[in-house]
Amino acid sequence: MRDTRESRLLLVLLVVIAFALITVDIRGGEESPVDGARRAAAAAFGPIENGVAAAVDPVGNAIGAVRDSGERHTRIAALEHENAALKAKLGSDDRNRSRVAELDGMLKKAGAGQYGIKAAEVIAIGAAQGFSWTVTIDAGADDGIKRDMTVLNGAGLVGRVTTVGPSTATVLLANDPDFTVGTRLEKTSELGFATGQGNGPLLVQLLNGKAKVKPGDRLVTFGSHGSKPFVPGVPVGEIVRVDPMGGGLTRNVYIRPYVGFTKLDIVGVVVQAPRTDPRDMVLPPKPAKPRPVPTVTVTVTPPPPGQEQQGQQPQGQQPTDGQTER
């Protein structure tokens, strides 16, 4: 249809009629005069609408599925994030439990030896002084830490304090080659001096070259005058090797330290020495030896010669006259 003046007037007229019918329908409500026409149109066009809806529904379902899929992906991502956060928290909780156990072990050691300690955390390794085996702790002069104080943890001897600042201190570890501590052998009280050897076992020179020692024997600190730098009774380690006895005045043995110097975390600085030497009381209890399995011995006693069991025939003997072999 061409765009003429008559067609534009017709279009305007149709629009006006449509608005008029809409107004009448709204005002009439359920008694609207066009309600019959609406029902007739619904009856006529309903089947067509149902067919179109049936054709369009799969597409609508697919769109809904894509939309729901996006929502599920968003939810999955949120759940994965929450799961990662929970795993991180669980790992943190595991570490906290480990540190609590370490602190508990250290407090038990301090209690057994009657040491007054100040707990600290290792915050750095190495130091400006050039020592090869040192750590820095987060306690210093403000916490009552002084030079030449013994440092321990739940396993045993860690080292001694060498440098003190207001809030930090440097600890020389017992495995440093410049570290030496007096030791005492468990039970026999044989004395010696332990020296660090880096990653290797500690070297102990026993003063008695004829001392009877064997692998598994344990050593503790002998203690220093005035308990500085070492308090007595702190576990050092156990013997793993004994050098053959030579003609020297001393004897060399090698001990495995109780402390793992590469994984230090919580330590305690002994700020108050014990009133009496705890001797071997701080050493951990030795593991119980397994009980031997009893063996059962069965002894068979043969019958006396000439006596045979009743109802039995000697092997190889033939039946005599008047006897029937069964």
Side-chain angles (χ1 to χ4, degrees):
M1 182 183 352
R2 289 183 299 173
D3 186 12
T4 61
R5 184 169 177 272
E6 289 80 6
S7 62
R8 287 198 295 272
L9 289 175
L10 179 61
L11 178 61
V12 171
L13 180 61
L14 291 174
V15 170
V16 171
I17 293 172
F19 274 106
L21 292 174
I22 291 172
T23 302
V24 171
D25 185 33
I26 293 174
R27 289 184 177 180
E30 295 181 356
E31 298 179 357
S32 171
V34 298
D35 185 59
R38 183 167 52 243
R39 285 198 297 268
F45 293 103
I48 299 175
E49 289 176 348
N50 288 334
V52 173
V56 174
D57 276 347
V59 179
N61 293 336
I63 294 173
V66 172
R67 182 179 62 252
D68 294 341
S69 175
E71 292 176 356
R72 285 196 297 269
H73 283 304
T74 303
R75 181 57 181 161
I76 290 172
L79 290 174
E80 288 176 349
H81 180 73
E82 293 175 4
N83 191 25
L86 288 174
K87 286 182 178 179
K89 183 179 180 181
L90 179 61
S92 177
D93 289 344
D94 289 342
R95 183 172 183 270
N96 288 336
R97 282 192 290 269
S98 175
R99 300 184 78 192
V100 168
E102 190 174 351
L103 180 61
D104 182 64
M106 184 179 68
L107 293 176
K108 288 180 180 178
K109 279 283 189 293
Q114 297 299 305
Y115 308 125
I117 64 171
K118 173 66 179 180
E121 182 180 357
V122 174
I123 57 175
I125 59 173
Q129 290 87 343
F131 298 127
S132 57
W133 290 92
T134 60
V135 294
T136 302
I137 59 175
D138 63 349
D142 295 342
D143 304 291
I145 308 300
K146 297 180 181 179
R147 180 183 170 88
D148 286 338
M149 284 184 167
T150 307
V151 183
L152 51 79
N153 67 2
L157 180 67
V158 172
R160 63 180 175 88
V161 177
T162 56
T163 307
V164 180
S167 58
T168 61
T170 301
V171 178
L172 179 66
L173 302 181
N175 64 334
D176 188 275
D178 290 334
F179 186 95
T180 301
V181 58
T183 61
R184 181 176 52 79
L185 197 63
E186 181 186 12
K187 295 182 181 179
T188 65
S189 297
E190 293 287 351
L191 302 181
F193 294 95
T195 303
Q197 296 194 112
N199 285 320
L202 304 182
L203 171 63
V204 178
Q205 291 183 317
L206 294 177
L207 299 183
N208 182 6
K210 298 180 180 180
K212 295 181 179 180
V213 292
K214 64 183 184 300
D217 289 347
R218 306 185 293 180
L219 296 95
V220 299
T221 56
F222 176 67
S224 308
H225 178 69
S227 296
K228 287 188 177 183
F230 302 109
V231 295
V234 180
V236 179
E238 64 179 40
I239 296 176
V240 293
R241 195 179 85 197
V242 180
D243 279 354
M245 187 168 51
L249 297 178
T250 61
R251 190 175 187 184
N252 293 344
V253 299
Y254 297 87
I255 65 173
R256 179 178 62 246
Y258 288 121
V259 173
F261 298 105
T262 59
K263 51 183 180 181
L264 293 171
D265 188 7
I266 304 296
V267 298
V269 182
V270 181
V271 295
Q272 184 177 357
R275 294 183 179 180
T276 58
D277 188 347
R279 306 292 293 179
D280 303 330
M281 295 177 60
V282 189
L283 283 169
K286 287 187 175 182
K289 293 183 180 180
R291 295 181 178 180
V293 179
T295 56
V296 179
T297 304
V298 179
T299 303
V300 178
T301 305
Q307 294 185 7
E308 295 161 352
Q309 295 182 1
Q310 185 177 3
Q312 290 186 351
Q313 190 85 12
Q315 212 172 24
Q317 183 177 349
Q318 298 297 327
T320 57
D321 295 342
Q323 290 180 337
T324 303
E325 184 178 4
R326 295 180 180 179

